[in-house]
Amino acid sequence: MQDDLIIDGQALNSRLFLGTAGYPSPQTLVEAVEVSQCSVLTLGLKRTLLAGDNGFVAQALQAAQARGVRLLPNTAGCRTAREAVQLAQMARELYGTHWIKLEVVGDEHTLQPEPFELLAAATELSRAGFAVFPYCTDDLVLCRRLLDEAGCTVLMPWGAPIGSGQGLINPQALRTLRERLPQATLIIDAGLGAPSHAAQALELGFDAVLLNSAVAQAREPVAMAAAFRDAVRGGRQGFLAGLMAPQSFAVASTPVSGHAFLLG
């Protein structure tokens, strides 16, 4: 069944987005990208400019280009709207893409997005022709303003703080986002640690997941990339098939009323 994800007029045949940081070697990154069959790769431009890529970025881009994977530069490390806008403009020039994952962090402990600076940056970048993918919390009011005021069509609410591996710590809030914003493309970003977390996100109706540390820091990153690939597919198929409604009481799967049976 054809079930492509359409973003900015582009058809993506995988609902798994993968990060490129923290892998033990460039070759491991390339192999993880290939086995994951992901549609999008993220790249932290600020980290790359400050530390250099040691061959990681070049090999990741080569692997992405060979598979037709889209590049999504991000503004990780930015603390103000002005800084994020400037970095996004640099990324567009360097990588020839108007897609940008917008990150503006407001808290050093949780790396939680700064909502006011995020909204300001998203508004300015949208007006400048960017397809903005804002990394945000699960706050419904902020998400609505990013859609209605900033002109975003994609939102990337967190599942948990970046790199924490906790999974979906507030599934009720995420379920509310999905129900109240039915037309938006919603991608869970940050905090996933296990393939089951990704499956849960897709089962809730989210359109995709983005993860990095869960694969890069696994004992076997390539095998973990394959596990997330399959979990995303399974979660999406479960959502499309229609999950049964949970209940607080038991219902016999094999009815016995009206049938003779023996006791003892």
Side-chain angles (χ1 to χ4, degrees):
M1 182 179 63
Q2 189 70 18
D3 183 38
D4 288 345
L5 173 61
I6 308 298
I7 296 180
D8 192 35
Q10 301 294 312
L12 307 176
N13 58 19
S14 169
R15 294 172 182 269
L16 175 61
F17 295 14
L18 201 59
T20 57
Y23 286 81
S25 71
Q27 184 59 33
T28 301
L29 170 58
V30 170
E31 292 177 7
V33 170
E34 291 176 347
V35 76
S36 72
Q37 298 180 8
C38 64
S39 289
V40 174
L41 274 182
T42 63
L43 171 67
L45 179 58
K46 188 172 185 178
R47 176 185 61 83
T48 301
L49 293 175
L50 291 176
D53 68 10
N54 296 320
F56 277 69
V57 175
Q59 291 197 39
L61 293 180
Q62 185 177 13
Q65 186 177 23
R67 292 196 61 250
V69 176
R70 290 293 303 252
L71 182 65
L72 180 63
N74 67 56
T75 62
C78 291
R79 299 295 186 268
T80 66
R82 181 177 180 181
E83 185 181 10
V85 168
Q86 291 176 341
L87 198 62
Q89 292 169 337
M90 292 175 60
R92 180 163 62 177
E93 293 298 319
L94 285 172
Y95 299 115
T97 178
H98 65 288
W99 284 19
I100 191 74
K101 179 190 170 190
L102 179 61
E103 297 185 36
V104 185
V105 170
D107 181 76
E108 297 299 325
H109 179 67
T110 63
L111 299 181
Q112 180 173 328
E114 209 295 341
F116 305 104
E117 294 292 305
L118 180 69
L119 182 61
T123 302
E124 184 173 347
L125 289 171
S126 293
R127 290 173 179 170
F130 284 86
V132 182
F133 296 55
Y135 165 61
C136 55
T137 63
D138 52 24
D139 182 88
L140 177 61
V141 175
L142 172 61
C143 288
R144 277 181 166 164
R145 293 190 67 181
L146 287 166
L147 294 170
D148 298 338
E149 297 178 25
C152 300
T153 59
V154 177
L155 300 178
M156 305 188 78
W158 67 358
I162 293 172
S164 68
Q166 297 180 72
L168 308 185
I169 60 174
N170 195 350
Q172 184 56 47
L174 295 173
R175 186 177 291 108
T176 298
L177 278 187
R178 181 68 285 174
E179 291 173 352
R180 300 295 296 276
L181 306 174
Q183 303 305 317
T185 297
L186 301 180
I187 301 169
I188 292 293
D189 177 21
L192 303 186
S196 58
H197 300 157
Q200 182 185 11
L202 273 292
E203 288 169 357
L204 285 174
F206 281 77
D207 297 285
V209 295
L210 189 155
L211 52 101
N212 188 162
S213 300
V215 171
Q217 296 181 17
R219 185 175 65 251
E220 298 289 343
V222 178
M224 187 62 75
F228 271 99
R229 175 200 65 205
D230 295 341
V232 167
R233 290 174 177 170
R236 178 64 178 176
Q237 290 173 350
F239 172 74
L240 293 177
L243 302 175
M244 68 172 289
Q247 302 177 126
S248 60
F249 52 89
V251 177
S253 58
T254 305
V256 295
S257 61
H259 297 272
F261 59 93
L262 298 175
L263 295 177

